[in-house]
């Protein structure tokens, strides 16, 4: 069977019109975010496993630490 368990995952998105490539999100969660050499954010993994408390906490910190509020969770 494929698919995700209900309610088990969240997704994180970046608003590229806001992101200025500071990389605070990468510092908080290097598994999910990387700022490329061109200063553009690469989302390495957009799915956040909310069943894994470490994973979710890191991405929450990344979202909270973004100075331009460019990151947000979507369901
Ligand atoms: S912290 Fe915000 S502005 Fe900085 S790279 Fe991440 S998304 Fe972009």
């Amino acid at each position: 069977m494929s698919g995700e368990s209900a309610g088990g995952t969240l997704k994180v998105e970046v608003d590229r019109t806001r992101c200025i490539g500071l990389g605070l999100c990468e510092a908080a969660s290097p598994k999910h975010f990387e700022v490329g050499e061109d200063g553009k954010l690469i989302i390495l993994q957009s799915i956040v496993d909310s069943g894994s408390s470490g994973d979710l906490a890191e991405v929450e910190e990344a979202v909270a630490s973004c100075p331009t509020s460019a990151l947000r969770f979507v369901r």
Side-chain angles (χ1 to χ4, degrees), residues 25-70:
C25 53
E26 180 181 350
S29 182
K31 177 174 159 186
H32 288 270
F33 307 104
E34 181 180 320
V35 178
E37 285 181 15
D38 58 0
K40 289 193 178 153
L41 180 66
I42 302 158
I43 298 198
L44 299 172
Q45 191 178 321
S46 62
I47 301 294
V48 183
D49 181 2
S50 58
S52 160
S53 57
D55 213 28
L56 180 59
E58 273 189 15
V59 178
E60 279 178 338
E61 191 185 328
V63 171
S65 67
C66 176
T68 62
S69 303

Side-chain angles (χ1 to χ4, degrees), residues 2-32:
S2 63
E4 333 168 326
S5 55
T9 53
L10 282 171
K11 217 176 145 190
V12 64
E13 276 186 353
V14 61
D15 179 345
R16 295 198 180 275
T17 65
R18 289 177 175 242
C19 175
I20 53 173
L22 289 174
L24 295 174
C25 53
E26 180 181 350
S29 182
K31 177 174 159 186
H32 288 270

